[in-house]
Amino acid sequence: GGMEKKKIDDTEQGGVPAVRVDRFGFVKQELNSPDGLVKSKSAFEYEREERRIRKWRKMIGVGGSDWKHYVRRKPHVVKRRIRKGIPDCLRGLVWQLISGSRDLLLMNPGVYEQLVIYETSASELDIIRDISRTFPSHVFFQQRHGPGQRSLYNVLKAYSVYDRDVGYVQGMGFLAGLLLLYMSEEDAFWLLVALLKGAVHAPMEGLYLVGLPLVQQYLFQFELLVREHLPKVGEHFIQEMINPSMYASQWFITVFSYSFPFHLALRIWDVFLFEGVKIVFKVGLALLKYCHDDLVKLPFEKLIHALRNFPEDAMDPDTLLPLAYSLKVSKRLEELKQEYEKKNGKLAESVKQKKQPP
């Protein structure tokens, strides 16, 4: 995977006992490891994986030189392959290509270093406070003041200086942490910029501005989509007084990188970076649809628990994602956005009221 260069030799860490980790570097719970993916690959699977990687390498070209050309010529092929999952060894590079962050980096040489070394940020203490809460079960981020935590701090601090209106908000750590497992600090920083500022898709910064204006819009859209796609669930939620802010805010704020199985989060991110936020709506709806029959029976307390702890079989990417892809939401999302803006004024207005200095 994209982790080779980051695996630190155990002996260097002052004799930290070696821990068992899954293929992504998360510490394994010894019992029945939830990541049933550790089974050794059959020769057939191995062959198939190798074939996929060769196809992808051809599509990308050396260092990404053929990518844009390929996307222009065969967008449907690219979309289909991304939905099947980007090979892990190429994920970091492909994420940079599809998010537009590679271009930002090339246009801004030396800027990241400048932000890290010479600037100070009002958010430094907040960032330090949250660092150890970000992916606490991943070896790269576990060591106090270790290289993982240091990189995470640098990226978040640099962003808070680069964009003082947003500054730093806790959810951003999960985005940055996920990116750092697949790319360098500087690359992760520019991908964060690409996402929040909207290099390819709608900007995400509204998720992190004061009052979380974009979260409010997304939850409004999601609630109505639930009622339309899953009327029984929607009805039951109304009766039990469950609204999406009780369970779905984190989905949008961290794009499923918080508390979801890592291998599923990665697959969602592959699609999210290429197709935009609508995949978050689709996956959310697919989860509710998959658990439909259980959800409509549960009372309030148990519902809250169920919506934060989906069963393992619901989290299998090969079941959940095809279900998500089958749901059509684009047109309706656009209509609901207009409806939301009529009711609440355009998001741009709330964004203009910059953060008041403390």
Side-chain angles (χ1 to χ4, degrees):
M3 294 278 311
E4 287 87 6
K5 59 177 185 302
K6 302 227 162 103
K7 287 255 167 54
I8 303 153
D9 184 35
D10 287 327
T11 51
E12 291 175 34
Q13 296 189 3
V16 179
V19 284
R20 282 169 51 84
V21 294
D22 68 14
R23 65 194 178 115
F24 297 115
F26 285 89
V27 177
K28 277 229 251 314
Q29 315 305 323
E30 276 312 315
L31 297 158
N32 45 1
S33 92
D35 179 16
L37 302 164
V38 217
K39 295 191 287 290
S40 60
K41 285 203 175 83
S42 69
F44 168 71
E45 288 173 307
Y46 188 76
E47 236 343 280
R48 192 174 59 187
E49 182 72 1
E50 288 302 305
R51 261 204 315 277
R52 272 183 66 222
I53 292 170
R54 279 198 299 276
K55 271 189 201 168
W56 271 90
R57 284 198 192 284
K58 208 169 135 178
M59 198 159 64
I60 295 166
V62 181
S65 53
D66 295 339
W67 178 259
K68 282 185 174 158
H69 183 61
Y70 200 100
V71 177
R72 264 199 301 273
R73 273 199 354 265
K74 301 191 171 165
H76 50 286
V77 176
V78 176
K79 181 173 171 174
R80 188 179 69 235
R81 286 186 185 165
I82 286 176
R83 284 182 165 199
K84 282 185 184 167
I86 300 166
D88 204 56
C89 58
L90 299 172
R91 200 166 242 137
L93 172 59
V94 175
W95 280 6
Q96 291 168 58
L97 295 170
I98 61 185
S99 64
S101 70
R102 174 48 66 91
D103 295 336
L104 286 177
L105 169 78
L106 296 173
M107 291 185 302
N108 293 279
V111 170
Y112 175 71
E113 190 184 16
Q114 186 81 22
L115 293 168
V116 171
I117 296 175
Y118 298 107
E119 301 282 349
T120 56
S121 159
S123 314
E124 287 174 24
L125 291 173
D126 292 340
I127 295 172
I128 290 167
R129 184 197 62 211
D130 289 340
I131 288 279
S132 56
R133 305 181 198 170
T134 308
F135 296 123
S137 65
H138 196 287
V139 283
F140 185 52
F141 298 116
Q142 271 182 336
Q143 201 185 354
R144 212 162 160 60
H145 313 301
Q149 293 198 3
R150 161 71 39 192
S151 292
L152 191 53
Y153 171 80
N154 286 345
V155 169
L156 293 170
K157 182 209 133 171
Y159 192 86
S160 70
V161 175
Y162 177 82
D163 180 354
R164 293 189 188 267
D165 294 331
V166 169
Y168 162 75
V169 180
Q170 197 179 1
M172 296 161 68
F174 287 94
L175 273 63
L178 183 68
L179 298 173
L180 282 168
L181 295 177
Y182 284 89
M183 61 196 73
S184 73
E185 267 180 43
E186 188 176 22
D187 290 326
F189 169 77
W190 288 110
L191 213 158
L192 202 55
V193 172
L195 289 176
L196 269 64
K197 291 297 179 195
V200 174
H201 300 293
M204 284 174 70
E205 60 184 355
L207 292 176
Y208 307 112
L209 287 162
V210 171
L212 316 179
L214 193 54
V215 183
Q216 310 302 334
Q217 179 201 304
Y218 286 164
L219 293 176
F220 170 84
Q221 291 167 295
F222 188 72
E223 182 162 29
L224 289 162
L225 283 173
V226 171
R227 287 185 207 168
E228 290 161 18
H229 282 261
L230 306 163
K232 285 207 176 100
V233 173
E235 189 52 43
H236 184 60
F237 281 7
I238 292 170
Q239 278 170 347
E240 292 296 329
M241 305 219 288
I242 298 275
N243 66 51
S245 68
M246 298 171 178
Y247 62 92
S249 302
Q250 287 295 358
W251 299 351
F252 291 106
I253 290 172
T254 70
V255 190
F256 291 111
S257 63
Y258 173 76
S259 82
F260 268 65
F262 193 68
H263 61 284
L264 174 60
L266 291 171
R267 292 284 304 278
I268 295 171
W269 270 72
D270 290 345
V271 179
F272 165 67
L273 292 174
F274 192 62
E275 299 183 35
V277 74
K278 63 174 188 266
I279 189 61
V280 181
F281 288 93
K282 290 180 180 187
V283 168
L285 286 170
L287 279 166
L288 299 184
K289 186 169 180 162
Y290 187 86
C291 303
H292 181 283
D293 297 353
D294 294 327
L295 295 175
V296 291
K297 295 195 204 99
L298 297 173
F300 181 83
E301 290 297 329
K302 290 202 162 111
L303 259 180
I304 292 289
H305 180 78
L307 290 166
R308 291 182 187 163
N309 303 275
F310 286 94
E312 204 178 317
D313 56 328
M315 298 291 206
D316 173 10
D318 298 320
T319 314
L320 185 64
L321 293 178
L323 181 54
Y325 302 148
S326 74
L327 302 167
K328 296 290 166 255
V329 299
S330 303
K331 186 161 163 280
R332 199 66 189 110
L333 274 177
E334 193 42 56
E335 294 165 0
L336 290 170
K337 177 174 182 239
Q338 316 259 316
E339 197 177 312
Y340 181 81
E341 284 174 353
K342 267 220 281 293
K343 262 175 50 178
N344 299 279
K346 280 220 176 359
L347 268 186
E349 301 314 307
S350 54
V351 172
K352 285 201 189 83
Q353 300 155 6
K354 302 298 192 201
K355 280 199 171 166
Q356 302 308 312

